[in-house]
Amino acid sequence: MKKKGYFISFEGIDGSGKSTQIQKLAKFLKNLGFDVITTREPGGSKGGEEIRNLLLQGNVDRWSAKTEILLFTAARCDHLERIILPALEEGKIVICDRFTDSTRMYQGMRGANLRNLVDTLNEKVVNFDPDLTIIIDINPEISLKRAKSRKIAEERFEDFGVDLQMKMRKGFIELAKEFDNRIEVFDGQQSVDKLAKDICSLVKAKLS
Ligand code: ADP
Ligand code: TYD
């Protein structure tokens, strides 16, 4: 399928400020006259949201990392086929809260060869990258406090604790080097408005 729109993903550890910045960016782009949809992973489509409930609720050890890779990839496949690709085909800007990079980090870093499994499966069934990925980098001590203040049932991954979040923070920075053609890193410890200003000007420049 030939793509006409523009696909942006947001990445970072839990509570880094992705949802907040996605709302700001969507509003900014709509004001510029772009047709924008915001979506999220896991989820985004009906089937994807059903898989989300399986993944994000329950005990930390409910699934092995390997099984999670299969479930996240299945959710992504449905989301891509039913929501993301049709919107891009209509020329829309799609802003997605997390995509394959999250699986590379959250599942891929939990054991030997798991990153390899994420990449292999991704290549076979997803095989689609964002045009631009924005990583919000933040100290986990700060972001976990923010995330915990939300008090929702979906806290399975937050329960993995600060050490894993610390490892993932480093992992996301490494990923930005690995995919430097599409990933940009921003400091999540700035004020909401300052961060939004920086992100919006980068995206505006990329689109023009
Ligand atoms: P994420 O989607 O990455 O989990 P959120 O955007 O939901 O993060 O932010 C988590 C919490 O932190 C929310 O309560 C939000 O209002 C707050 N927050 C977001 N960005 C900032 C910021 N730059 N400074 C302080 N608090 C923030
Ligand atoms: P999200 O709703 O973005 O949580 P938060 O707002 O706290 O950042 O994502 C839900 C959780 O799912 C989050 O802890 C990260 C995890 N996750 C994975 O482990 N692998 C994945 O591939 C994705 C997309 C998310």
Side-chain angles (χ1 to χ4, degrees), residues 12-21 97-98 136 143 146-147 149-150 158 188-193 195:
I13 58 176
D14 301 283
S16 52
K18 298 180 302 302
S19 321
T20 306
Q21 293 302 324
D97 195 335
R98 300 190 181 281
I136 304 185
S143 58
R146 290 187 192 170
S149 69
R150 286 181 302 204
E158 284 150 27
Q189 284 161 225
Q190 314 175 71
S191 73
V192 169
D193 288 342
L195 184 54

Side-chain angles (χ1 to χ4, degrees), residues 83-98:
I83 305 290
I84 299 175
L85 290 177
L88 292 173
E89 181 62 12
E90 287 168 15
K92 293 180 181 162
I93 296 178
V94 177
I95 310 179
C96 190
D97 195 335
R98 300 190 181 281

Side-chain angles (χ1 to χ4, degrees), residues 13-14 106 140 144 157 161-169:
I13 58 176
D14 301 283
Y106 283 77
L144 274 182
F157 288 93
V162 82
D163 287 349
L164 186 72
Q165 301 280 347
M166 204 72 91
K167 220 172 116 187
M168 271 177 318
R169 180 191 192 186

